Amino acid sequence: MAAAAAEQRAERPREEAGPGPGDSQEEPAARRPVDDLGVETAEEATEPSEPDINELCKDMFTKMSAYLQGELTATCEDYKLLENMNKLTGLKYLEMKEIAVNINRNLKDLNQKYASLQPYLDQINQIEEQVTALEQAAYRLDAYSKKLEAKFKKLEKR
């Protein structure tokens, strides 16, 4: 039986042979020829002709070139985006620097005004202390006058 299958394989012309069971070009749905006894027959693998390989290589290099060109273009666009973002960030920092300089200038002006007002603030503090002392003296005087009034009334009753 195996000898009959081997004879059939040997008798077949080379052009009829398709990809064999170990060939990578075999499609999963493709069926192998089966002899009368139900045994699968092996087919000889044929290499593609030279022009096909050249054409496939050209196609591969063309597609690889297009892929690499796309990758390089995307990378260039990314760098341009980063450059624009850096420029905008630099402008933002310049604006923030100007704001900080203005705040610093205004703070110095306020400090100078506060320094010029300091003698008046010191006078206000002195006046407040004097008013507090005067108020305490007025309370003591009021208390003393009440005591005196009570003594006077007491002496008057006698």
Side-chain angles (χ1 to χ4, degrees):
M1 204 189 282
E7 284 179 27
Q8 284 180 350
R9 281 192 302 251
E11 290 176 7
R12 276 191 312 185
R14 185 170 174 97
E15 291 83 31
E16 292 178 10
D23 292 334
S24 62
Q25 295 178 357
E26 180 178 332
E27 296 179 30
R31 296 187 48 115
R32 296 185 186 118
V34 178
D35 65 5
D36 295 339
L37 301 174
V39 177
E40 290 184 8
T41 59
E43 297 178 8
E44 286 186 32
T46 59
E47 292 183 15
S49 64
E50 190 70 28
D52 289 342
I53 290 176
N54 287 339
E55 195 62 35
L56 290 173
C57 286
K58 285 180 186 177
D59 186 44
M60 180 195 69
F61 282 120
T62 302
K63 289 179 180 177
M64 184 61 77
S65 172
Y67 169 75
L68 291 175
Q69 189 67 31
E71 286 293 318
L72 290 174
T73 301
T75 303
C76 285
E77 292 298 320
D78 288 344
Y79 279 121
K80 286 178 184 177
L81 178 64
L82 282 173
E83 183 181 1
N84 288 337
M85 288 171 61
N86 282 339
K87 286 179 183 177
L88 289 174
T89 303
L91 291 174
K92 254 319 184 200
Y93 278 123
L94 282 176
E95 289 175 13
M96 290 170 59
K97 177 186 172 190
E98 290 174 11
I99 291 171
V101 166
N102 287 336
I103 289 173
N104 189 25
R105 185 180 323 118
N106 291 338
L107 185 62
K108 285 181 180 179
D109 289 344
L110 285 173
N111 284 336
Q112 287 176 352
K113 288 177 182 177
Y114 181 78
S116 67
L117 290 175
Q118 190 61 43
Y120 299 112
L121 294 173
D122 291 340
Q123 285 179 0
I124 290 172
N125 287 339
Q126 285 178 347
I127 291 172
E128 184 180 6
E129 290 171 3
Q130 290 173 354
V131 166
T132 303
L134 186 60
E135 186 178 19
Q136 292 297 326
Y139 285 131
R140 285 192 306 259
L141 184 60
D142 187 45
Y144 181 72
S145 66
K146 286 181 183 178
K147 280 183 187 178
L148 256 152
E149 183 180 358
K151 278 186 184 180
F152 179 71
K153 287 184 180 180
K154 187 177 178 186
L155 284 178
E156 202 175 65
K157 287 182 183 178
R158 284 194 203 177

